[in-house]
């Protein structure tokens, strides 16, 4: 019997998550959005790797080139487009999407 976890507490907008719009289906889903910033080699290079973590069942069908619209900042009504560049299901019912901001 597979293990089934109720992911609802982790994906409440009042807690950790934000609403993302899947452009191809015009469906809103709850994700935990992280626009991390990294440096390496003592500051010799800089990089950002935005990610969205959500329930696998909500993110089914997304692949390379899919587009998500996410808020430009916490609580902002302005949306920014991100391309999905990698899909990483973790086997526990959650999937991490690696994103790239559209120019």
């Amino acid at each position: 019997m597979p293990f089934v976890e109720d992911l609802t507490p982790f994906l409440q907008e009042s807690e950790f998550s934000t609403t993302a719009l899947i452009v191809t289906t015009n469906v809103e889903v709850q994700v935990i959005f992280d626009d991390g910033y990294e440096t390496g080699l003592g500051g010799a290079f800089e990089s950002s790797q935005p990610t969205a973590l959500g329930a696998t069942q909500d993110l089914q069908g997304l692949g390379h080139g899919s587009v998500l619209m996410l808020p430009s900042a916490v609580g902002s009504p302005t949306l920014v487009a991100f391309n999905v560049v990698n899909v990483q299901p973790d086997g526990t019912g959650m999937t991490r999407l690696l994103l790239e901001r559209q120019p």
Side-chain angles (χ1 to χ4, degrees), residues 18 71 73-77:
T18 188
V74 175
S76 173

Side-chain angles (χ1 to χ4, degrees), residues 7-30:
L7 302 172
T8 308
F10 302 105
L11 296 172
Q12 292 180 7
E13 196 164 356
S14 62
E15 295 294 329
F16 306 110
S17 72
T18 188
T19 301
L21 175 68
I22 301 172
V23 172
T24 54
T25 60
N26 205 33
V27 171
E28 291 183 341
V29 295
Q30 292 302 120

Side-chain angles (χ1 to χ4, degrees), residues 4 12 21 24 48 61 67-68 74 101 103:
V4 178
Q12 292 180 7
L21 175 68
T24 54
S48 120
V67 179
L68 289 180
V74 175
R101 186 184 298 253

Side-chain angles (χ1 to χ4, degrees), residues 13-79:
E13 196 164 356
S14 62
E15 295 294 329
F16 306 110
S17 72
T18 188
T19 301
L21 175 68
I22 301 172
V23 172
T24 54
T25 60
N26 205 33
V27 171
E28 291 183 341
V29 295
Q30 292 302 120
V31 298
I32 299 171
F33 177 61
D34 184 24
D35 197 2
Y37 178 80
E38 300 175 11
T39 63
L41 299 175
F45 69 88
E46 303 168 349
S47 176
S48 120
Q49 182 61 74
T51 63
L53 178 68
T56 299
Q57 69 182 7
D58 294 342
L59 302 177
Q60 290 182 62
L62 293 180
H64 297 270
S66 297
V67 179
L68 289 180
M69 300 295 289
L70 289 152
S72 61
V74 175
S76 173
T78 304
L79 298 178

